[in-house]
Amino acid sequence: QHISRFSKCCKKFYKKIQFSILYYISRKVKVIYYSNMKKVITSFGVGSHTRLLSLSVPTLYLYAHNHNYDIFLPSNDFFSEKSKANPPSWWKLDVIEYLFNTYDQVLWLDADVIICRFEEDISTKINSQDDFAAVVHETPDGQVLNCGVWLLNKSSTKWLSSLRSYNSFRRSACWWEQAALLHIMGMNPDDPKIILPEKCNIAWTQLDYSWNPHINDHRKIPQDTKFFHATCFNDRYSTMKHILQQINI
């Protein structure tokens, strides 16, 4: 029994050391390249979201280490003045397009997304013939595809830049590129209650809800949450800190 307790303590201590090293690296460099990898995790934080990203970054690095992703965390200097004239949510398109010059697959995570489980690789959940994968939230707004956890294959480049042209919907003011994506998929993002059609204009994979649960979804936040998304919480920073404590980070 004493040996078992000692073993658990050692494992917990090793995990904390591992996170400490990865966190130190994340504060010193913005890009880490693992040899011969063709998939990358990316995110950025602007304004108050910078604090949120500082909480999520250690989990991104550990996940990248476990599943052979590269990491790209651009600073504000990466973005052009033209891009900065738009809300920051649109800026992710610049990052994704840039990364497809090197990578076959890009995993975008909002700054308020914390990875909670590290065993499964999300890249194995997308059909290789599909352009992207995402979770659909079931909220009072209907069946809403969410881009906070957005896995894209390189084939998405054939329509990705066109999203910028569709920014005049009523919900464009709060859903940004997400509203544009719903539009090119064949839906009206301004419908009072959005319903996903049986067949969309773009080939895509619907991810299991546990990859990106939403507090306003009737399914709430399940125990087996893989990626925790703090969107719509009143105090995202405190909520994220609490989640990190729960997973011993």
Side-chain angles (χ1 to χ4, degrees):
Q1 185 177 3
H2 291 299
I3 293 174
S4 176
R5 286 179 182 173
F6 177 74
S7 176
K8 288 180 180 179
C9 287
C10 286
K11 287 179 180 178
K12 190 172 182 179
F13 177 74
Y14 172 76
K15 187 176 181 181
K16 286 186 178 295
I17 290 295
Q18 189 179 25
F19 270 107
S20 296
I21 294 171
L22 290 168
Y23 182 68
Y24 174 80
I25 292 172
S26 73
R27 297 297 294 271
K28 296 299 180 182
V29 295
K30 294 301 180 186
V31 186
I32 283 188
Y33 294 105
Y34 296 100
S35 59
N36 301 318
M37 292 299 110
K38 293 186 178 180
K39 54 186 181 177
V40 60
I41 296 173
T42 188
S43 186
F44 63 82
V46 177
S48 62
H49 284 67
T50 305
R51 292 178 73 225
L52 304 182
L53 185 64
S54 71
L55 295 178
S56 64
V57 157
T59 70
L60 308 190
Y61 274 85
L62 182 58
Y63 196 81
H65 174 76
N66 285 359
H67 299 294
N68 296 321
Y69 286 83
D70 292 347
I71 293 280
F72 183 69
L73 303 175
S75 67
N76 286 358
D77 294 338
F78 172 85
F79 302 99
S80 68
E81 292 304 315
K82 182 179 179 180
S83 292
K84 289 178 181 179
N86 298 311
S89 191
W90 287 103
W91 304 3
K92 66 168 66 79
L93 299 182
D94 295 6
V95 180
I96 294 168
E97 288 175 323
Y98 169 78
L99 290 171
F100 274 132
N101 291 321
T102 303
Y103 297 95
D104 299 313
Q105 198 171 71
V106 176
L107 174 57
W108 164 266
L109 299 177
D110 280 0
D112 58 355
V113 172
I114 286 177
I115 299 177
C116 301
R117 294 175 181 265
F118 301 89
E119 298 84 6
E120 290 185 76
D121 182 0
I122 192 173
S123 72
T124 65
K125 307 302 178 182
I126 186 172
N127 187 315
S128 61
Q129 303 303 311
D130 289 348
D131 290 352
F132 73 92
V135 167
V136 174
H137 294 152
E138 298 173 7
T139 72
D141 293 318
Q143 298 170 312
V144 183
L145 186 149
N146 186 272
C147 295
V149 176
W150 197 14
L151 179 65
L152 301 102
N153 282 331
K154 200 166 190 173
S155 57
S156 65
T157 55
K158 62 181 178 284
W159 50 261
L160 198 60
S161 64
S162 71
L163 294 178
R164 296 183 181 87
S165 302
Y166 305 109
N167 61 359
S168 58
F169 297 101
R170 176 175 54 82
R171 284 190 171 124
S172 295
C174 55
W175 287 2
W176 307 288
E177 83 295 334
Q178 192 169 281
L181 180 59
L182 291 172
H183 170 71
I184 68 170
M185 290 177 71
M187 290 164 273
N188 180 1
D190 284 341
D191 279 346
K193 195 153 189 172
I194 295 169
I195 298 176
L196 279 172
E198 288 187 14
K199 188 172 182 179
C200 295
N201 297 336
I202 297 172
W204 69 293
T205 299
Q206 183 171 338
L207 293 172
D208 183 79
Y209 179 66
S210 61
W211 290 104
N212 181 12
H214 193 292
I215 188 61
N216 291 335
D217 190 296
H218 66 90
R219 293 166 289 184
K220 300 303 179 182
I221 310 296
Q223 289 294 320
D224 65 343
T225 295
K226 297 180 178 69
F227 291 8
F228 174 82
H229 193 178
T231 183
C232 292
F233 279 81
N234 291 330
D235 186 345
R236 281 186 279 187
Y237 186 81
S238 296
T239 300
M240 291 171 69
K241 285 193 73 173
H242 177 67
I243 294 297
L244 289 174
Q245 290 169 355
Q246 284 188 329
I247 58 177
N248 293 321
I249 296 175

